[in-house]
Structures are given as structure tokens and as C-alpha cells.
Amino acid sequence: MSLQAEYGLGVSELCAMSKRGEKIACLTAYDASFAQVLDQAGVDIILVGDSLGMVIQGHDSTVSVSMEDMIYHSACVSSISKRALILVDMPFMSYSNIEQALFNATRLMQEGGAQMVKLEATERQSEVVAEMSACGIPVCAHLGLRPQYIHKLGGYQRQGQDSESAEQILQDAISLEKAGADLLLVECITHTLAAKIQQTVSIPVIGIGAGKNCDGQILVLQDILGITPGKTPSFAKNYLNEGGIQAAVQAYIAEVKSGDFPS
Ligand code: KIV
């Protein structure tokens, strides 16, 4: 058995995919049943997102999600997944300084089975990312629209629309890569900015509501199944019309790989 088969996809395989132009297909999951469907369908990254605050717990933001919630749902997902990389969100205020970030990321890896952790970041988090990376914790930096900042933002608007804020997000991306981030996730930024980031950094860039020019795409599972409680984001697409959940996931993967999603 190869190491890749034993441990599933790792950082180096994701980089290799992006270098050969193979799109990386990612979805969220929060439990073992859906994690198995996604893993067997060939999803490359399963994100245990703090979006569970909305789609599992029914809140209107991710702010109330706790470390215990994240560990519980990560353990459910990681217990069953064999191939996909398990990416887990660090919840609101769980990485506000280096010591706290290291402690909580360790819990997500040891108790939750995370293989990479994600934090919502600007260049201000570079030191935290650098320390985590130096300790052997794979890190994904989530840029652009950062849902944990909802009460500062006042709404889920597209980010980087003027040249100054676009330049700031690009600089954030550069700083976070330099600090040691292994992956970037860009949410709800202009398509031109996403393309610029993708051309500038050498680590893979995953997009959500950020256009086609990313190394991969991610959506919330409930959004592609059309079962989101409340409002579904405008950039999401319902794949359940394709004939069942497995077929819906496979249709999504096929469109990400071929570049047909997003259109
Ligand atoms: O929590 C989540 O599901 C996310 C995605 C929206 C990317 O961060």
C-alpha cells in the first residue's frame, strides 16, 4: 500500500495537482455518512467548516461555534474518510494569539483527526501561521470574505471591489504564503483579484464565489443538495437534479475538474 493510499491526499499531492492544472474539488461535510459519500465519490478535500453553525445548528452566523463542536464533527468525518484530505476550521477566537492557536490546532489534529486547519486571516495572522507551520501543522488561510467578521462587516458582501482593498487582500495572500500557509481559500472576491492571487502565489488557491481562475473550488454540501436552511448563496448550484446524492457529488466533481463550474 502506498503512503498516499494510507494517509490520503497530502499537501504535496495538492501542489502537484495544481502544477499539472488538475482542478481540486472540495466540499464540506460534518458527519460520517456524508463524509463517506464524498470520499467515495472522489472529493479531494473535505472541509469540516464552521458553517456547521448555520447548516447543522441553524444559527445565522458561524460566531457561536465552539472548539468542542469542531472537534466532535471533525472526529465524525475523519473516522470514515480514507482518501480526501480532512481540513478543519478553527472557530471564532480560537487563534487570537500564538499559544492559543497552537493549543487549539493540536486538539483539532489529535482529537478531531484534522490533517490541515483553516483560519480566517489577513497578514496580521502571519506570525501565528508561521509558528503553526514551524510546528508541523498544515495551514489553510481563508481570505477575502471572512464570515467570522460578520458583525464587523455587517453583511456577506463581495470583498476587494476597490483597488485599495484588492491590493490589501493580494498582500495578505503573499504574506501568508511567506509565513508558511500551505493552501489559500478565497471567498467572495472579484474574479480578477482571485486570478491575480492565483498567478502570484505558488501554493494552491481554492475559490468560493471567486470565479473560475482558482486551482480548485469549494461549496457547502447543503448548498449543492438544495437543503440549506435559510438563504442559499447566489454563487451556489443545486446538483441534486442530477439523480441522487452520489450522482450530485460526482456531477459537481466532474464540473470542477473540467472547469465547467463555476460558469
Ligand atoms: O465554513 C465553511 O464551510 C467555509 C466555506 C464557506 C469555505 O469556510
Side-chain angles (χ1 to χ4, degrees):
M1 184 185 264
S2 73
L3 279 181
Q4 186 188 315
E6 202 170 330
Y7 291 111
L9 292 182
V11 170
S12 56
E13 182 58 22
L14 295 178
C15 289
M17 287 170 80
S18 102
K19 291 222 161 61
R20 46 178 198 262
E22 183 186 339
K23 296 279 189 181
I24 302 168
C26 322
L27 280 170
T28 65
Y30 317 94
D31 63 40
S33 321
F34 275 118
Q36 179 162 279
V37 171
L38 268 48
D39 196 49
Q40 290 182 349
V43 162
D44 300 310
I45 297 177
I46 298 179
L47 168 66
V48 185
D50 60 357
S51 50
L52 70 84
M54 297 154 104
V55 298
I56 302 293
Q57 298 173 337
H59 300 301
D60 60 3
S61 82
T62 60
V63 172
S64 59
V65 176
S66 67
M67 269 301 292
E68 303 313 315
D69 294 333
M70 293 312 304
I71 290 169
Y72 172 79
H73 287 281
S74 311
C76 295
V77 167
S78 65
S79 65
I80 201 96
S81 307
K82 297 203 162 33
R83 175 185 173 273
L85 182 136
I86 307 300
L87 172 61
V88 180
D89 265 338
M90 299 197 67
F92 181 61
M93 288 303 286
S94 66
Y95 50 93
S96 61
N97 60 54
I98 291 173
E99 202 178 308
Q100 188 194 37
L102 291 177
F103 179 77
N104 286 321
T106 304
R107 288 197 69 198
L108 289 177
M109 294 181 80
Q110 291 186 331
E111 299 172 49
Q115 293 164 326
M116 183 182 288
V117 298
K118 172 161 85 60
L119 44 85
E120 295 182 8
T122 63
E123 59 188 348
R124 191 178 164 273
Q125 275 74 37
S126 294
E127 275 184 36
V128 168
V129 170
E131 204 54 41
M132 291 167 84
S133 176
C135 291
I137 300 169
V139 179
C140 171
H142 181 151
L143 302 160
L145 176 61
R146 289 168 292 137
Q148 291 173 8
Y149 287 68
I150 184 65
H151 296 307
K152 273 191 94 75
L153 296 172
Y156 296 103
Q157 303 95 351
R158 190 167 294 281
Q159 303 293 301
Q161 304 211 61
D162 58 81
S163 56
E164 201 182 318
S165 63
E167 181 57 30
Q168 184 55 59
I169 295 172
L170 177 63
Q171 289 311 318
D172 292 340
I174 294 168
S175 301
L176 290 158
E177 177 185 28
K178 216 161 148 197
D182 301 283
L183 192 67
L184 297 181
L185 188 150
V186 293
E187 176 164 358
C188 243
I189 58 173
T190 65
H191 301 186
T192 35
L193 175 58
K196 185 93 201 278
I197 293 174
Q198 201 263 352
Q199 284 156 13
T200 307
V201 301
S202 56
I203 52 178
V205 178
I206 308 297
I208 174 163
K212 270 179 173 300
N213 295 315
C214 297
D215 298 296
Q217 297 291 328
I218 185 161
L219 286 175
V220 169
L221 178 64
Q222 278 71 0
D223 290 341
I224 74 161
L225 301 180
I227 54 170
T228 313
K231 201 164 166 266
T232 306
S234 57
F235 51 76
K237 177 170 171 184
N238 184 341
Y239 283 85
L240 202 57
N241 303 332
E242 310 291 334
I245 290 171
Q246 186 91 15
V249 173
Q250 275 163 350
Y252 164 74
I253 294 169
E255 287 196 12
V256 169
K257 299 275 178 194
S258 67
D260 287 341
F261 178 82
S263 53

